[in-house]
Structures are given as C-alpha cells and as structure tokens.
Amino acid sequence: AAFISIQAFPALLDLPQDLEVSAVSCGSRHTAVVTRGGELYTWGWGKYGQLGHGSNISCDQARRVEHLVAKRLRVEEVVCGPWTTYVRV
C-alpha cells in the first residue's frame, strides 16, 4: 500500500519544468492544479480514481493527467470534492 503523507502546513511543491500554476483545488485527501498552459496535475489519495491517472493508485508527487493531453483538451478550471475531481475544459 502506498504511503501518503498528510501535510498540515503549507509546503513548497516542485512541479516539472518550472510550470506556472493558475488554479488550485484541494479535496479531502488530494490536490489538483491547473497550469497556465492548461494542463492538469494531481496528487494525493487516489482510491476512487479521483486523480485521473487511470488507476486507483495514490501518489505523493504531482503528475500530469495524460488523458487530457492525449485528447488535446485545455483545462480551464478544476474543483476537487471529497472523493472527486471536476474539470472544465
């Protein structure tokens, strides 16, 4: 089982390629960011597939949601719920 650390205080996040973040949303155990280029990165608890990586695997590192890139969709907004992630493209 993957260990997901719980961070009670703000912490710096290293995104790949020095991407600039335009929007952030936090669920109960996961986080999502939208970059200025319209890409979605998610990390945290993924038991219900809320990270969008095509699995139920949790992840401590921010990962780009490749499905949206493959479909050539530009993310405009993200909203995380308790076990869900809603994306407007």
Side-chain angles (χ1 to χ4, degrees), residues 2-3 12-13 22 24-25 34 37 39 42 44 54 56 60 71 76 78 86:
F3 173 77
L12 289 176
L13 174 66
S22 62
V24 178
S25 185
V34 178
E39 295 178 326
T42 61
N56 293 349
D60 263 344
K71 296 288 185 180
E76 299 291 331
V78 64
Y86 299 96

Side-chain angles (χ1 to χ4, degrees), residues 7-86:
Q7 191 75 20
F9 300 100
L12 289 176
L13 174 66
D14 291 324
L15 287 176
Q17 305 165 9
D18 298 325
L19 297 171
E20 293 184 28
V21 173
S22 62
V24 178
S25 185
C26 299
S28 58
R29 296 183 183 179
H30 72 293
T31 305
V33 299
V34 178
T35 67
R36 292 203 190 278
E39 295 178 326
L40 181 69
Y41 285 78
T42 61
W43 65 96
W45 190 55
K47 182 175 181 178
Y48 299 106
Q50 65 269 39
L51 300 180
H53 301 297
S55 69
N56 293 349
I57 297 173
S58 297
C59 182
D60 263 344
Q61 300 294 320
R63 284 183 49 201
R64 184 170 72 173
V65 177
E66 297 297 335
H67 176 77
L68 298 172
V69 175
K71 296 288 185 180
R72 297 183 180 186
L73 296 172
R74 179 182 170 85
V75 177
E76 299 291 331
E77 185 178 9
V78 64
V79 176
C80 294
W83 300 294
T84 58
T85 304
Y86 299 96

